[in-house]
Amino acid sequence: MEVFFFWIILLATIAVCFNQEICFTEPNVEQMPTAVRADLYRGQQEFTFAMLDAIQKATPNENIFFSPYSTYHALLLAYFGAVGKTEEELVKVLRLSWAKNKKHVNLGYRLEKTLRFTRSKKMPIEFASADKIYFDKNINLTHCVVDNFKDELESLNFRDEPEKCRRDINAWIANITRNEIPEVLSADDVSSDTQMILANAAYFKGQWANKFDAKDTKPQIFYTTKSQTFVPMMHRRGTYNLAIDEQIGAYILQMPYLTSDDENKDSEISMMIVLPPFVENGLENVLEKLNAETLEMALKESMPREIDITLPKFEFEQNIELVPILNRMGINLIFSHNAELSGFSVESNLNFGDAKHVAKIKVDEEGSTAAAATVLFSFRSARPLEPTKFECNHPFLFLIFDHKSKAILFTGIYRDPQTQNLQ
């Protein structure tokens, strides 16, 4: 079974000023063109790799796990209220230059939200993602915010009841994450001066389309450049899509999740293991070449092969202070007093004080979101007589990829089992 939990939260303070209200309109959901969703999540892929690069450079020797889907959605909420140079920064970092106006972005956002909800009712996996905009009840919001974000909007009494507001927000996050993250906000995070909080909480739980057998799990060595550690390794032989990508310089394996009760139907969500060669700077070289375009090519080049997989069983949690990461990516103004967020309130100029992200992952025989792999390949034809061995025993990158929306839901790097909580 694999479970992912994560949240992102942005805290805001307020200064008084006046500005003209700016808004956008939204047609009926049935009239939404599908192209805007494709454009939006093509940009989300590019954002994912930029964020991965920033985190990797900030923590070059650590395990990494985060949800670019969650982060992207929270920043989209900030974009909808941004104007001027603040909006320009977000357009650039969120890769929204394809859109002529905010209406187009909102169409893609709404379409994804509607289709995600519809799909979730039909799939055996659990995937919930929800956005919230919490405002102090004394803030006069624009009609644009009130009209376009009814489901996301919630008014709280931060000024008089900050502790109750903190408990209410924690309870909402705990509900979305099935109580796996029960208390993300501490008493110091919310005060009577807090005016606005943007949040995204998400939960994913799924099982492999082809499970591992627990009796085959046994201790084996996981190699890093500095050490060797025994970890519980799972084993399975089966047919999986594999790309031998010379452009990226890695092997890319797709491990599907069970997304339909029809066994003959292709999986809509899979974990992609990007396995570099075990050489000095092997992972770093792959990360430099991995982007939305090279990922798309790898997916097209994948072929079904019979493979012996050796995959580590693991669990770890990561807390990320997002402000320096987002600064590195080019988002600065929303955290300064020069922030232009008058799309939220014509009477107030908001700026965000902090940004946090927590992600948790568990991988076992029932399902998984991360797997390291060492590759021992010797291909002489498209269909080798003996199964290919895919041994996950050194640092690797993994993505949880939604083939239908083309969104990257989760991303991580598994470097060192000694820094994570094994079960």
Side-chain angles (χ1 to χ4, degrees):
M1 177 179 65
E2 84 255 16
V3 187
F4 314 86
F5 321 95
F6 33 84
W7 53 267
I8 177 171
I9 199 154
L10 299 159
L11 309 182
T13 56
I14 187 170
V16 177
C17 74
F18 293 88
N19 208 323
Q20 181 179 3
E21 180 173 343
I22 299 175
C23 198
F24 48 93
T25 57
E26 176 185 6
N28 188 281
V29 171
E30 303 298 329
Q31 301 173 346
M32 292 183 184
T34 57
V36 294
R37 181 173 178 243
D39 290 338
L40 183 63
Y41 288 98
R42 173 74 176 195
Q44 190 262 353
Q45 287 186 29
E46 295 173 359
F47 170 85
T48 296
F49 294 115
M51 186 174 179
L52 176 61
D53 180 66
I55 297 174
Q56 149 77 7
K57 289 178 179 176
T59 58
N61 301 312
E62 299 178 13
N63 293 330
I64 294 173
F65 182 62
F66 68 100
S67 171
Y69 187 89
S70 176
T71 308
Y72 193 78
H73 274 235
L75 290 173
L76 276 179
L77 293 181
Y79 158 78
F80 289 133
V83 299
K85 292 185 177 180
T86 303
E87 179 182 351
E88 291 175 9
E89 271 193 357
L90 290 167
V91 166
K92 183 176 180 180
V93 175
L94 297 177
R95 276 62 173 181
L96 300 175
S97 58
W98 55 268
K100 294 182 179 179
N101 52 53
K102 287 184 178 177
K103 179 178 72 174
H104 292 168
V105 179
N106 196 35
L107 293 181
Y109 171 78
R110 293 294 167 194
L111 182 59
E112 165 65 7
K113 186 173 181 179
T114 300
L115 294 178
R116 179 73 62 190
F117 177 75
T118 302
R119 292 170 62 201
S120 67
K121 295 191 294 185
K122 299 177 181 179
M123 293 194 293
I125 65 170
E126 294 182 63
F127 180 48
S129 177
D131 303 308
K132 276 289 185 182
I133 314 174
Y134 294 99
F135 281 99
D136 184 82
K137 69 175 186 178
N138 296 299
I139 293 180
N140 293 319
L141 301 175
T142 63
H143 293 297
C144 178
V145 169
V146 174
D147 292 342
N148 285 279
F149 299 99
K150 292 183 175 67
D151 293 339
E152 292 87 356
L153 193 62
E154 186 165 340
S155 178
L156 296 177
N157 189 1
F158 286 111
R159 180 182 299 178
D160 299 323
E161 300 177 310
E163 177 58 22
K164 182 179 183 300
C165 295
R166 182 184 75 88
R167 292 197 302 267
D168 288 347
I169 296 171
N170 279 339
W172 177 78
I173 293 172
N175 180 59
I176 297 296
T177 62
R178 309 300 191 268
N179 293 315
E180 289 293 336
I181 301 180
E183 189 166 343
V184 295
L185 289 176
S186 66
D188 295 335
D189 290 328
V190 180
S191 71
S192 58
D193 294 326
T194 300
Q195 297 292 312
M196 172 184 175
I197 291 179
L198 301 188
N200 173 284
Y203 173 89
F204 177 94
K205 179 180 180 180
Q207 66 180 36
W208 300 121
N210 300 289
K211 298 180 185 179
F212 291 81
D213 193 330
K215 74 177 188 306
D216 295 328
T217 300
K218 57 186 179 182
Q220 287 183 254
I221 294 176
F222 187 92
Y223 298 90
T224 69
T225 55
K226 297 181 180 180
S227 65
Q228 301 178 16
T229 306
F230 277 95
V231 300
M233 286 283 193
M234 305 179 293
H235 297 264
R236 191 181 188 282
R237 176 182 294 187
T239 301
Y240 298 89
N241 284 337
L242 177 74
I244 308 169
D245 199 298
E246 295 183 2
Q247 184 175 359
I248 296 174
Y251 295 90
I252 302 177
L253 180 73
Q254 297 180 46
M255 299 185 63
Y257 295 105
L258 185 64
T259 57
S260 173
D261 294 327
D262 184 354
E263 296 182 356
N264 296 318
K265 188 175 180 180
D266 290 339
S267 174
E268 296 181 6
I269 300 176
S270 66
M271 179 179 71
M272 300 176 63
I273 305 173
V274 181
L275 182 67
F278 188 41
V279 297
E280 187 175 0
N281 297 321
L283 181 59
E284 287 71 21
N285 292 337
V286 167
L287 291 173
E288 288 180 1
K289 300 171 185 175
L290 192 59
N291 53 48
E293 184 178 350
T294 56
L295 177 65
E296 182 180 13
M297 291 302 298
L299 287 170
K300 290 180 179 179
E301 293 171 0
S302 295
M303 295 179 60
R305 303 179 189 273
E306 189 178 8
I307 299 173
D308 272 339
I309 298 176
T310 303
L311 179 67
K313 178 179 176 180
F314 65 89
E315 178 178 5
F316 68 88
E317 180 176 329
Q318 184 169 22
N319 295 265
I320 300 175
E321 292 295 332
L322 278 182
V323 174
I325 300 301
L326 296 177
N327 288 164
R328 188 188 291 263
M329 296 172 66
I331 297 178
N332 297 284
L333 288 175
I334 63 173
F335 301 111
S336 75
H337 292 295
N338 296 321
E340 298 175 86
L341 296 169
S342 57
F344 288 121
S345 174
V346 295
E347 299 177 359
S348 307
N349 184 22
L350 300 167
N351 68 280
F352 295 105
D354 200 2
K356 301 179 180 179
H357 185 79
V358 172
K360 182 178 180 179
I361 177 175
K362 180 179 180 180
V363 178
D364 62 19
E365 291 86 359
E366 296 291 318
S368 167
T369 4
T374 295
V375 181
L376 301 177
F377 285 100
S378 179
F379 288 157
R380 297 184 180 179
S381 68
R383 295 181 177 273
L385 296 177
E386 295 296 326
T388 299
K389 292 189 180 296
F390 198 87
E391 297 181 329
C392 307
N393 64 358
H394 67 258
F396 61 93
L397 168 73
F398 60 89
L399 312 169
I400 304 301
F401 186 75
D402 186 334
H403 295 272
K404 198 155 189 176
S405 69
K406 307 300 182 186
I408 299 175
L409 307 180
F410 314 94
T411 307
I413 294 175
Y414 186 67
R415 292 184 184 277
D416 190 346
Q418 296 188 53
T419 63
Q420 54 102 21
N421 178 29
L422 286 171
Q423 294 192 350

